[in-house]
C-alpha cells in the first residue's frame, strides 16, 4: 500500500514539475522574445499554470498518500521528505492570503518602477507597507506549519535548510573582515595605477560568437541550450533545454562576457542534475544559495582567475584584434577585478558585494520581525550603508528603491547571494585540492576537470543533501566564510 | 441556477483556452526556437497540457452545468452551443481509444519521415493501416455521439458545420471546370513566353525587413506579433501575441514574401477576433476553412492582384535595386501566377491546387468508409491523379507519401484548403462590391479599407456563425464555387 502511495506521489510530482517546465519556457519567452502587447495574456497563462500546480499539490488525496507512503533507498527517502516539505509549505497558507499577497505584490511592483525612476520613496511606501504586513502574516503561518521562526520560514522558501542562525555569525565575521580589508585593497589598487582600457567598439555579432564559444568551452551543450538577449540577464528553461540571456553593449565587452559565464554556471548546474530523478523534488537544484555558488564559482573563482584570464585574453584579442597590450593577463585582472565602493548592488565587486547583502538581510529581518517600520526604511538604509561602506546614498533610487525584491514580495532571498559566493570559494578550494593541475587546465581553457568534479560533488547530487550537508560532503565542513576571505585576501590584498 | 451554471462554464472554458494559449506558444517555440535536445521534454509538456485540458473539459460537473445552463443573447447562446459541441466531442471517445490513436500517430509519423525520404510506401503501410483502423473506430464513436456520418464527424473536428454533402457538388463542379480551363490556361501562358526572372541574390536581412514592412502594411501590429524563421512556415501564438514564421532563401524572394503575406492573413484573423469573447469558444476562429480563406484572400486575391503587384514591384526594387524591368507588374504577374501541373501540393498554383485536394478528399473518404484499403492507396493515388491532372507521379514520395496529414492521424482536414480558397474569392467579391475603390487602394499599398471590411464581416464574427452562415451573412449566399472560377477565368483565361 505505502509503495503504491509513493508511486502515485511520484507521478503527481512529475506532472507538477512538467507544468513548471512549461512555465519556465513561457517566462523565458516573456523576457527574451514576447512582443510588448503579449504581457497581459502571458500573465494569465502563468497564473493559470501556477494555480494548477498549487491545486495538484494540495489536492486532498496528497495528504493521505504522504501519510501512507514509504520510500526505499536514500534518494527515494530524500525525495519523499522533500514532497512532504513542499506539501507543508503549500498547505500552510490560506488561499485568500496567497491571493491578497499576489495582488499586493503586483500593485506595488508597478508603482515601484515609477517610484524608482523618480526616486520617490513616499510614492511606494504604502504599497510596500501592505506587502510587509502580508509577508509578516505569511511568515507567521509558515512558521507555525514548519516549526521555524517567521523569517527563517521565508528564507527556507529560497534556500531550504538555512536559518538566520547560520547566516548571522558568517555575516558578522565578514563585516569585521571588510572593515580592515577594504581600505587596504583600495590602497593597493591605487598604488598600482589605472589599468589600460580595452579598446572598443566591440561588434555585437562578434561578442555573440565569442560568448557562444566560451560558454561551449565551459561545458554548455547547445544541443540543449540557447543564448539570447534580454534587458536583465538570467538562466531559465529546463534541464534539457536551457535558455541563458545576456545584454550586449558595443562600448564594452567584459560585462556581457562575464554575464554569460555567470549564467553558464547556473546552466551547467541545471544540465548536470541527476537524470534518473528528473521532475522529482530530489532531482532539483539544492536551493538558491547552491545555485548562486555555481554561477559565482564559474564567474568569480574560475574565470576571473589569472590562469583563465591568460587564456581569455588570447581569445579576446583573436576576436577583436588591435593592440594586444590591454589583453595581457595583468591588465585584464586590474580591469575586471576592480574594487570600488558604490551604491548599487548589481554593479558591486566581489569584495563589497556582501556588504550590500548584509545590509538587506538585517533590514528585511527587522521588517519581518516588526522592529523596523517601512516609514523608517530610508533612514535605516542610509545609516546601515554608511556603517558598512562609509558612504551614504544621495537618494533612495540609489538606496532602498534599487532592488525589485521587496517590492515584489521576495523577503528572505538576499542572503543567498553571499552564501553562494562563500560556498563558491569553499567548493573551489576543495576542487583545487582534488585537482592539483587545475590552474594549468584553466590557463589552457580546459574546463573539463573542474566540470567533472562539480558534476560529481554538486550537480549530480540534486537536492539529496541540504545546503550544509552538500558542503560537508563536498568540502569536509559546513559553510565557512574562511575560504572566501582567504580567496579575497589572495586576490585583493597581496 | 442556470445562469450560474453558464458562468461556471465560462470560467472553465476560459481556463481551458488559457492552457491552450500556453500550448500554442510552446508549439511555436518548438518550431522556431527550441534546441534539438529539448524535443523530448517539450513532448511531455504538451501532452500534460493537453491532458489537463481534456480533464477540465470532461470533468463530471461539466455535464451537469451544460444540462442546466441557459444563456442570454445571440453570442452567449452560440457560445453555449459551442461548449456543448466541444463537450460532446471530448466525451464521445473512450480514453483508451484516444491514447491508442495518439501512440499510433506518433509511431507512424516517425516511420513516415524515413519512408518519405526513401519513397518506400511498404515501410509505412502497416503503421498507416493501424492509423486508419483507429480513425475508423474514432469516426464511428463520434458519429454516434454527434449524429453525423463517420467521415463528416472527422471533418467537423476541423471545419464545424461542413459535411461531405456540401463538398461533393462543389468539387465535382471544379473538376469539370478544370478539365476545360487548365489546357487553355497553359496554352495562353505558353503564348506569352517566359517571364524575365528577378535577379538575386536577395540578402536575408533585406528580405526580413521587407517582409516586416509589407506585413505591417497589411495590418499586422508588431506590438502584438513576431516574425521568425522555421522550416515549415506557420502562424501560431495567441490573438494578442501572434507568431508567424517564414523560410528565407538568398536565391529567391517571392516564396518567403508570399509566405509571409499568407501567414499575415491568418494572423489578421486571429488579431481581429472579438475581444469581448476572448478565451470563449464563440470568440475563436470559425474553423480551418474559414482560416484558410483569410490567408488565401490576402495572398491570392489581394496581393497577387495586378493592383497590389504594381505597388509591390516598387517596394521590391527599392529594397534590392538593380534593373527595374523584372519588377514591372506584368512581369511579376507572369512570374508569380504561373500555372504548372506538378506532383507536390504545397508547390501547386491556385488553379491546380484544388485537384490535389479533391484527390485526397476522395481517397480519405474511401479509406474511412472502408471502400479503399491502405494497400491499394498508391495505385488509387496514381489513377486519381492521372484523371485530374493527366500525369502520374513517378514514385510514392511525390504521391501518397508527400503529406504528413494522414501519417499523423489527420483525416478530414484536406477539404479546408480548397473550401478556403473558394470562400476567399467569394469574400473578395463581396468586399470589392462594397468598396468600389478597392483596386485603387491596393495599388497604393493601402490595405485599410479591405482590412476594415474583413474585420466587420469575418474576423469580428468569431464563431458566432457557422462557415455557411458566415458566408451567407457576408456575401448573401452560402459557399458557391462560381466566384472562385470567375476569379480564375479572369486571371488565367483572358
Amino acid at each position: 500500500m505505502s509503495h503504491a502511495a509513493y508511486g502515485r506521489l511520484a507521478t503527481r510530482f512529475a506532472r507538477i514539475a512538467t507544468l513548471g517546465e512549461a512555465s519556465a519556457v513561457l517566462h523565458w519567452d516573456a523576457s527574451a522574445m514576447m512582443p510588448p502587447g503579449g504581457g497581459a495574456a502571458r500573465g494569465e497563462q502563468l497564473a493559470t499554470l501556477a494555480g494548477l500546480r498549487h491545486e495538484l499539490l494540495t489536492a486532498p488525496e496528497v495528504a493521505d498518500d504522504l501519510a501512507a507512503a514509504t520510500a526505499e533507498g536514500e534518494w527515494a527517502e530524500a525525495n519523499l521528505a522533500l514532497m512532504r516539505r513542499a506539501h507543508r509549505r503549500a498547505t500552510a497558507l490560506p488561499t485568500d492570503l496567497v491571493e491578497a499577497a499576489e495582488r499586493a505584490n503586483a500593485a506595488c511592483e508597478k508603482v515601484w518602477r515609477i517610484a524608482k525612476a523618480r526616486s520617490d520613496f513616499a510614492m511606494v511606501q504604502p504599497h510596500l507597507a501592505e506587502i510587509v504586513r502580508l509577508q509578516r502574516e505569511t511568515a507567521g503561518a509558515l512558521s507555525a506549519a514548519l516549526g521555524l521562526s517567521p523569517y527563517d520560514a521565508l528564507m527556507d522558501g529560497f534556500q531550504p535548510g538555512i536559518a538566520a542562525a547560520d547566516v548571522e555569525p558568517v555575516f558578522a565575521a565578514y563585516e569585521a573582515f571588510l572593515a580592515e580589508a577594504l581600505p587596504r585593497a583600495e590602497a593597493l589598487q591605487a598604488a598600482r595605477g589605472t589599468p589600460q582600457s580595452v579598446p572598443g567598439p566591440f561588434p555585437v555579432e562578434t561578442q555573440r560568437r565569442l560568448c557562444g564559444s566560451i560558454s561551449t568551452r565551459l561545458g554548455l551543450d547547445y544541443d540543449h541550450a540557447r543564448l539570447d538577449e534580454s534587458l536583465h540577464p538570467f538562466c531559465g528553461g529546463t534541464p534539457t533545454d536551457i535558455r541563458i540571456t545576456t545584454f550586449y553593449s558595443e562600448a564594452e565587452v567584459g560585462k556581457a562576457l562575464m554575464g554569460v559565464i555567470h549564467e553558464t554556471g547556473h546552466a551547467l548546474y541545471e544540465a548536470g542534475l541527476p537524470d534518473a530523478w528528473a521532475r522529482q523534488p530530489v532531482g532539483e537544484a539544492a536551493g538558491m544559495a547552491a545555485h548562486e555558488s555555481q554561477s559565482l564559482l564559474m564567474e568569480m573563482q574560475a574565470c576571473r582567475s589569472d590562469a583563465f584570464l591568460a587564456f581569455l585574453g588570447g581569445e579576446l584579442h583573436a576576436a577583436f584584434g588591435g593592440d594586444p597590450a590591454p589583453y595581457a593577463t595583468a591588465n585584464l585582472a586590474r580591469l575586471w577585478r576592480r574594487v570600488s565602493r558604490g551604491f548599487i548592488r548589481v554593479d558591486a565587486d566581489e569584495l563589497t558585494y556582501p556588504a550590500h547583502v548584509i545590509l538587506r538581510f538585517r533590514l528585511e529581518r527587522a521588517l519581518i520581525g516588526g522592529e523596523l517600520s517601512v516609514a523608517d526604511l530610508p533612514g535605516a538604509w542610509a545609516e546601515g550603508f554608511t556603517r558598512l561602506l562609509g558612504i551614504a546614498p544621495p537618494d533612495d533610487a540609489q538606496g532602498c528603491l534599487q532592488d525589485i525584491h521587496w517590492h515584489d514580495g521576495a523577503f528572505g532571498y538576499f542572503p543567498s547571494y553571499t552564501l553562494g559566493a562563500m560556498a563558491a570559494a569553499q567548493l573551489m578550494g576543495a576542487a583545487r585540492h582534488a585537482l592539483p593541475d587545475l590552474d594549468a587546465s584553466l590557463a589552457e581553457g580546459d574546463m573539463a576537470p573542474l566540470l567533472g568534479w562539480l558534476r560529481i560533488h554538486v550537480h549530480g547530487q540534486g537536492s539529496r543533501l541540504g545546503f550544509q550537508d552538500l558542503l560537508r560532503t563536498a568540502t569536509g565542513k559546513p559553510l565557512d566564510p574562511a575560504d572566501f576571505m582567504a580567496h579575497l585576501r589572495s586576490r585583493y590584498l597581496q
Side-chain angles (χ1 to χ4, degrees), chain A residues 101-316:
Chain A
E102 273 169 17
R103 274 195 301 275
N105 296 346
C108 183
E109 198 238 285
K110 264 192 200 143
V111 175
W112 165 74
R113 293 194 183 276
I114 305 162
K116 180 181 174 178
R118 298 187 189 163
S119 194
D120 182 353
F121 182 75
M123 186 179 177
V124 85
Q125 187 185 319
H127 296 277
L128 184 58
E130 176 65 2
I131 283 189
V132 169
R133 188 185 71 75
L134 291 162
Q135 285 296 313
R136 280 180 190 164
E137 206 176 315
T138 300
L142 288 170
S143 165
L146 303 170
L148 297 169
S149 83
Y151 179 76
D152 285 352
L154 294 180
M155 196 157 59
D156 174 78
F158 301 108
Q159 184 51 65
I162 282 286
D166 298 298
V167 176
E168 265 181 343
V170 167
F171 282 7
Y174 195 85
E175 188 181 1
F177 163 78
L178 186 67
E180 180 222 6
L182 181 53
R184 279 182 53 207
E186 288 171 325
L188 274 166
Q189 186 170 267
R192 286 191 185 115
T194 312
Q196 195 179 347
S197 75
V198 182
F202 305 92
V204 166
E205 198 40 61
T206 314
Q207 287 195 59
R208 203 178 275 132
R209 265 203 310 279
L210 182 70
C211 287
S213 84
I214 295 293
S215 54
T216 299
R217 191 168 269 280
L218 298 185
L220 188 60
D221 173 5
Y222 279 101
D223 271 356
H224 289 279
R226 281 183 64 96
L227 167 60
D228 293 279
E229 284 146 65
S230 71
L231 198 56
H232 302 285
F234 68 102
C235 171
T238 73
T240 60
D241 181 3
I242 294 165
R243 312 287 173 102
I244 63 173
T245 71
T246 191
F247 186 81
Y248 300 103
S249 152
E250 292 242 320
E252 218 259 310
V253 65
K255 206 160 174 175
L257 182 57
M258 282 299 162
V260 166
I261 289 170
H262 182 97
E263 302 310 335
T264 299
H266 283 303
L268 293 172
Y269 191 2
E270 289 291 313
L273 290 169
D275 281 351
W277 295 93
R279 297 192 172 121
Q280 293 299 310
V282 76
E284 292 174 8
M288 298 315 301
H291 234 303
E292 203 65 17
S293 81
Q294 295 310 290
S295 53
L296 290 173
L297 188 148
M298 214 39 88
E299 181 197 348
M300 295 294 184
Q301 299 289 327
C303 294
R304 291 194 204 237
S305 68
D306 284 350
F308 191 79
L309 286 180
F311 166 77
L312 198 57
E315 297 287 300
L316 283 159

Side-chain angles (χ1 to χ4, degrees), chain A residues 22-114:
Chain A
S23 295
V25 177
L26 293 170
H27 268 296
W28 167 83
D29 181 87
S31 299
M33 295 288 152
M34 190 180 74
R42 183 58 47 85
E44 285 294 316
Q45 294 150 23
L46 290 169
T48 300
L49 287 169
L52 280 167
R53 288 207 303 278
H54 187 78
E55 281 172 28
L56 285 167
L57 185 53
T58 58
E61 58 267 40
V62 180
D64 298 338
D65 278 342
L66 283 172
T70 53
E72 256 176 49
E74 196 189 349
W75 281 86
E77 281 167 23
N79 198 34
L80 182 55
L82 291 165
M83 289 174 177
R84 292 197 167 114
R85 173 183 174 275
H87 184 256
R88 265 200 306 275
R89 288 194 69 92
T91 52
L93 303 176
T95 309
D96 56 354
L97 176 56
V98 173
E99 287 174 2
E102 273 169 17
R103 274 195 301 275
N105 296 346
C108 183
E109 198 238 285
K110 264 192 200 143
V111 175
W112 165 74
R113 293 194 183 276
I114 305 162

Side-chain angles (χ1 to χ4, degrees), chain A residues 186-475:
Chain A
E186 288 171 325
L188 274 166
Q189 186 170 267
R192 286 191 185 115
T194 312
Q196 195 179 347
S197 75
V198 182
F202 305 92
V204 166
E205 198 40 61
T206 314
Q207 287 195 59
R208 203 178 275 132
R209 265 203 310 279
L210 182 70
C211 287
S213 84
I214 295 293
S215 54
T216 299
R217 191 168 269 280
L218 298 185
L220 188 60
D221 173 5
Y222 279 101
D223 271 356
H224 289 279
R226 281 183 64 96
L227 167 60
D228 293 279
E229 284 146 65
S230 71
L231 198 56
H232 302 285
F234 68 102
C235 171
T238 73
T240 60
D241 181 3
I242 294 165
R243 312 287 173 102
I244 63 173
T245 71
T246 191
F247 186 81
Y248 300 103
S249 152
E250 292 242 320
E252 218 259 310
V253 65
K255 206 160 174 175
L257 182 57
M258 282 299 162
V260 166
I261 289 170
H262 182 97
E263 302 310 335
T264 299
H266 283 303
L268 293 172
Y269 191 2
E270 289 291 313
L273 290 169
D275 281 351
W277 295 93
R279 297 192 172 121
Q280 293 299 310
V282 76
E284 292 174 8
M288 298 315 301
H291 234 303
E292 203 65 17
S293 81
Q294 295 310 290
S295 53
L296 290 173
L297 188 148
M298 214 39 88
E299 181 197 348
M300 295 294 184
Q301 299 289 327
C303 294
R304 291 194 204 237
S305 68
D306 284 350
F308 191 79
L309 286 180
F311 166 77
L312 198 57
E315 297 287 300
L316 283 159
H317 186 250
F320 299 108
D323 178 10
Y327 295 111
T329 309
N331 192 63
L332 282 184
R334 283 158 69 200
L335 263 179
W336 290 351
R337 299 194 316 223
R338 201 156 180 77
V339 169
S340 159
R341 296 174 203 233
F343 299 114
I344 304 301
R345 177 183 59 85
V346 297
D347 295 336
D349 59 86
E350 62 177 331
L351 183 61
T352 58
Y353 198 110
H356 295 261
V357 168
I358 292 168
L359 173 66
R360 287 157 176 79
F361 163 70
R362 289 174 181 165
L363 294 177
E364 71 179 11
R365 232 182 133 202
L367 285 167
I368 295 301
E371 301 104 39
L372 175 65
S373 77
V374 169
D376 295 333
L377 183 57
W381 185 287
E383 192 187 312
F385 204 86
T386 308
R387 190 152 66 91
L388 282 156
L389 287 173
I391 51 176
D395 56 36
D396 291 330
Q398 295 176 75
C400 65
L401 285 175
Q402 69 184 271
D403 296 310
I404 190 173
H405 302 57
W406 294 340
H407 304 95
D408 195 31
F411 283 75
Y413 187 104
F414 280 121
S416 303
Y417 294 115
T418 289
L419 300 178
M422 290 172 172
Q426 194 168 330
L427 289 164
M428 190 67 170
R432 201 178 284 287
H433 187 77
L435 306 165
D437 300 329
L438 182 55
D439 273 330
S441 54
L442 291 179
E444 287 169 12
D446 174 12
M447 310 302 281
L450 179 60
L451 183 56
W453 190 90
L454 290 170
R455 281 200 173 130
I456 292 168
H457 294 90
V458 180
H459 306 172
Q461 297 297 327
S463 282
R464 185 175 67 95
L465 307 165
F467 181 66
Q468 292 284 30
D469 280 338
L470 183 73
L471 287 176
R472 242 179 236 117
T473 308
T475 73

